Amino acid sequence: MLDLRSKFPDYYQYHGRNISKKLSLSNVRILNDYYSKYSLDKKILNISSKTSTEQLLQSNLFKKVIIEVGFGDGEHLIESALSNPKVLFVGSEVYVNGVAKVLKQILEKDIKNIRLCGMNFVYLLNILNQNSIDELKIINPDPWHKKRHFKRRLVNLENIIKIIGIVKNKYASYITTDSESYFNYINEIFSSNSKIIHENKNKILSKNDRLYGVSRYQRKAIKNGKKIYQLTF
Ligand SMILES: C[S@@+](CC[C@H](N)C(=O)[O-])C[C@H]1O[C@@H](n2cnc3c(N)ncnc32)[C@H](O)[C@@H]1O
């Protein structure tokens, strides 16, 4: 992964942190020795128009394919993969420390139903076939609070339209956020583009909801008294 990042920096570019602290030697070793076995990055770099999403993901033996974008330290991704062995989970994350952490757990727990993508998610999104994914989740994307940074937000009109294209069913794409501003921003995209984005709903999550409290970032927000908004489309 580290070699790909230096050879193809555009694919890994992102406005936030890519590596927050120096990677430990053991994480560098794990990434160098095992990342290519579980990752889609090389295949994405060499993809041809003939490669189907099923071939890219090697998903033919699985019942469903679920994507989690920006998995952070991977807690929800690992937990989901362990509880649903017949489902293939594709984890997208640009934060190298998070990728290394997940890779370590994949090896320790011998997890066979996770594929990783360390590139900026848009490169994965751009090459997936229409109606090829069963579910997509973005758990608390970076909020980018300042108005001048709104253009950095991952959930924008262009990406929503692409997500609607790749996800098979309605109401199978989920975004959670503790930012009321981001929630309003996405709702505004939905309502001003109602001819393209027909079906969507939203709610404030509570304890019994499936995606409530599933990640460290989300739990920290809950502890600080924030509401968790969920948008579904
Ligand atoms: C606020 S954190 C939330 C992490 C995790 N979902 C959680 O709730 O703990 C957002 C994560 O999304 C990742 N991210 C942001 N933009 C991304 C992109 N374009 N492609 C892949 N990952 C991205 C960041 O590196 C970061 O780890």
Side-chain angles (χ1 to χ4, degrees), residues 164-194:
I164 290 174
I166 61 154
V167 175
K168 291 176 191 167
N169 295 315
K170 291 169 187 166
Y171 300 119
S173 303
Y174 301 88
I175 299 161
T176 65
T177 179
D178 58 301
S179 159
E180 192 177 358
S181 148
Y182 208 167
F183 172 70
N184 291 336
Y185 175 88
I186 300 169
N187 264 326
E188 174 60 30
I189 295 176
F190 286 160
S191 54
S192 13
N193 297 279
S194 55

Side-chain angles (χ1 to χ4, degrees), residues 14 70-72 92-95 120-121 139-140 142 154 215 217:
Y14 155 69
F71 58 71
S92 158
E93 178 53 70
V94 283
Y95 177 48
N120 187 319
F121 173 61
I139 311 292
N140 292 54
D142 291 309
L154 177 63
S215 72
Y217 186 94

Side-chain angles (χ1 to χ4, degrees), residues 35-68:
Y35 182 66
S36 58
K37 182 173 173 197
Y38 296 93
S39 102
L40 303 170
D41 299 18
K42 272 196 182 142
K43 290 187 188 170
I44 293 174
L45 288 165
N46 296 315
I47 202 152
S48 87
S49 54
K50 288 184 198 138
T51 315
S52 70
T53 295
E54 190 177 288
Q55 287 166 332
L56 171 76
L57 304 178
Q58 295 179 299
S59 57
N60 52 323
L61 296 177
F62 294 94
K63 271 179 19 193
K64 275 185 181 184
V65 178
I66 296 182
I67 298 187
E68 184 181 340

Side-chain angles (χ1 to χ4, degrees), residues 3-226:
D3 54 330
L4 293 177
R5 276 164 47 90
S6 45
K7 266 195 216 158
F8 305 98
D10 288 356
Y11 285 81
Y12 295 86
Q13 208 171 26
Y14 155 69
H15 291 292
R17 60 177 188 172
N18 270 137
I19 301 178
S20 71
K21 53 181 181 202
K22 202 169 176 294
L23 278 168
S24 66
L25 208 60
S26 69
N27 278 348
V28 171
R29 212 170 281 145
I30 281 181
L31 288 167
N32 285 342
D33 292 351
Y34 298 102
Y35 182 66
S36 58
K37 182 173 173 197
Y38 296 93
S39 102
L40 303 170
D41 299 18
K42 272 196 182 142
K43 290 187 188 170
I44 293 174
L45 288 165
N46 296 315
I47 202 152
S48 87
S49 54
K50 288 184 198 138
T51 315
S52 70
T53 295
E54 190 177 288
Q55 287 166 332
L56 171 76
L57 304 178
Q58 295 179 299
S59 57
N60 52 323
L61 296 177
F62 294 94
K63 271 179 19 193
K64 275 185 181 184
V65 178
I66 296 182
I67 298 187
E68 184 181 340
V69 187
F71 58 71
D73 69 5
E75 178 185 340
H76 181 59
L77 181 69
I78 296 284
E79 161 68 28
S80 307
L82 287 172
S83 346
N84 301 281
K86 292 188 176 154
V87 175
L88 180 68
F89 290 85
V90 178
S92 158
E93 178 53 70
V94 283
Y95 177 48
V96 182
N97 306 57
V99 174
K101 202 167 176 186
V102 164
L103 197 51
K104 203 169 168 196
Q105 293 194 66
I106 290 177
L107 297 168
E108 279 170 9
K109 299 183 169 125
D110 193 24
I111 299 176
K112 303 215 181 323
N113 56 333
I114 292 184
R115 312 269 184 267
L116 296 171
C117 177
M119 296 173 168
N120 187 319
F121 173 61
V122 293
Y123 289 94
L124 175 61
L125 183 58
N126 284 342
I127 49 100
L128 294 172
N129 293 154
Q130 296 287 297
N131 300 318
S132 59
I133 302 300
D134 295 278
E135 189 176 311
L136 182 141
K137 291 178 275 190
I138 310 180
I139 311 292
N140 292 54
D142 291 309
W144 296 114
H145 295 293
K146 292 178 184 156
K147 197 162 183 187
R148 68 170 192 280
H149 289 156
F150 281 5
K151 55 180 177 299
R152 297 180 178 181
R153 285 178 166 173
L154 177 63
V155 185
N156 54 29
L157 176 60
E158 190 184 345
N159 290 342
I160 290 173
I161 291 172
K162 287 179 186 170
I163 290 169
I164 290 174
I166 61 154
V167 175
K168 291 176 191 167
N169 295 315
K170 291 169 187 166
Y171 300 119
S173 303
Y174 301 88
I175 299 161
T176 65
T177 179
D178 58 301
S179 159
E180 192 177 358
S181 148
Y182 208 167
F183 172 70
N184 291 336
Y185 175 88
I186 300 169
N187 264 326
E188 174 60 30
I189 295 176
F190 286 160
S191 54
S192 13
N193 297 279
S194 55
K195 284 195 183 134
I196 321 170
I197 309 164
H198 299 283
E199 268 89 14
N200 66 83
K201 56 188 177 188
N202 57 64
K203 67 188 286 196
I204 293 172
L205 294 185
S206 55
K207 268 187 187 157
N208 294 330
D209 287 309
R210 186 168 68 111
L211 295 180
Y212 181 86
V214 291
S215 72
R216 192 144 55 118
Y217 186 94
Q218 218 196 54
R219 283 194 301 276
K220 194 172 164 199
I222 293 166
K223 200 173 161 202
N224 289 334
K226 295 214 179 145

